[in-house]
Amino acid sequence: MKVHDMLVEERRRMADLLDGLDPGQLATPSLSTGWTVHDVGAHLITYLRFGQLKIYYGIVTMAADFDRLNRELTARAARMPTSEIAARLRRWATSKTTIPRSGYDPVLADILLHDYDIRVPLGIGRDMPEDRLWVAFQHLAAKPSPGYAVGSRLAGLRLEAEDTGWVSGSGAVVRGDAESLVLAMSGRAVGLDALEGEGLPLLRERVAAPPPRGPLERLKTVVKVVVDPPPVERRSRDAIGGS
């Protein structure tokens, strides 16, 4: 399956999930600090229309502070009822908006991580398809887009997914199941308890206290994305081993 096809399916699946939650569940704090489950759903529609224009607006007006941009856009979208948010997810599920020069991988990774942000605190299980999890693993490990704020979190670490055989990086080992690794790589502490290895204390420390990133560092990250050669074309490839 192509990455964009997965993305379309995940948006529609998320719409169904949101429609099935009661008011108490929607008001539950998500894994995204400061956001409820309803807020996470609102975030997922913020870039479906005019997404790249909003990204450039954030670069220019907010010194590439994507956390601030996301929170402002999400606060506006969160004023809508959840039913309207779900309806927009379905209506614009085929949106082809991407992060500039990055393809669909970071967009798919984003919705997968926010799927965990909703389901984990609500105790809703799911067997995440391996090919989709692979996209998130590869993107976070190789060249995450600026909005993920991974920074140096994974530097000097070798990540080993014991259930899938995926490996990335070099240095002190952090091992465990792929799902827990992806959560920890993205800065979600909930994934750390299922991991082990001599590199785990360092990763735990970095997740708990990420280094501050000033305007200059954020802008440098954006410039690097723009200047570096674009990744392998991602618009028409299969998630694993295809092109």
Side-chain angles (χ1 to χ4, degrees):
M1 181 180 287
K2 309 301 183 185
V3 175
H4 183 259
D5 294 334
M6 295 179 191
L7 181 56
V8 173
E9 284 192 359
E10 289 298 319
R11 286 170 177 155
R12 290 171 175 162
R13 185 186 180 284
M14 178 61 70
D16 291 342
L17 175 61
L18 291 171
D19 271 340
L21 300 179
D22 61 39
Q25 290 174 310
L26 292 168
T28 299
S30 74
L31 294 184
S32 291
T33 304
W35 283 352
T36 64
V37 166
H38 170 83
D39 294 335
V40 173
H43 165 69
L44 291 173
I45 67 170
T46 55
Y47 293 99
L48 294 184
R49 298 189 72 197
F50 314 116
Q52 289 199 355
L53 288 177
K54 293 172 183 175
I55 291 171
Y56 289 127
Y57 168 81
I59 293 172
V60 173
T61 65
M62 301 182 184
D65 188 341
F66 291 107
D67 182 64
R68 178 185 166 196
L69 176 64
N70 284 332
R71 295 194 179 281
E72 288 197 5
L73 293 177
T74 297
R76 296 177 195 171
R79 297 169 188 162
M80 302 179 198
T82 305
S83 58
E84 176 60 22
I85 290 170
R88 293 191 182 200
L89 271 171
R90 291 192 186 92
R91 187 182 313 143
W92 299 329
T94 59
S95 169
K96 295 186 176 181
T97 295
T98 64
I99 296 171
R101 295 171 61 85
S102 295
Y104 293 121
D105 288 30
V107 188
L108 179 62
D110 184 67
I111 194 169
L112 293 185
L113 289 170
H114 289 309
D115 178 77
Y116 287 116
D117 289 340
I118 288 175
R119 288 189 299 103
V120 170
L122 294 180
I124 299 174
R126 178 190 181 187
D127 291 328
M128 184 67 73
E130 184 176 313
D131 51 1
R132 300 175 196 200
L133 200 58
W134 180 88
V135 172
F137 180 88
Q138 292 293 328
H139 181 68
L140 293 171
K143 187 181 176 184
S145 297
Y148 288 99
V150 172
S152 60
R153 182 184 301 140
L154 307 180
L157 297 175
R158 175 180 170 85
L159 308 168
E160 299 180 354
E162 295 178 309
D163 53 341
T164 61
W166 305 334
V167 175
S168 180
S170 60
V173 173
V174 179
R175 67 175 66 88
D177 64 278
E179 185 171 86
S180 297
L181 274 176
V182 167
L183 286 168
M185 291 162 70
S186 68
R188 288 156 173 82
V190 69
L192 294 168
D193 289 342
L195 304 178
E196 61 182 13
E198 63 269 29
L200 181 57
L202 179 58
L203 180 57
R204 189 182 295 277
E205 177 183 333
R206 289 173 175 173
V207 169
R213 300 176 72 245
L216 182 59
E217 183 177 1
R218 292 195 300 266
L219 288 171
K220 283 182 178 179
T221 303
V222 172
V223 169
K224 182 175 177 59
V225 171
V226 173
V227 173
D228 281 0
V232 174
E233 177 59 46
R234 290 169 172 169
R235 292 179 180 274
S236 59
R237 70 178 182 85
D238 292 319
I240 299 180
S243 59

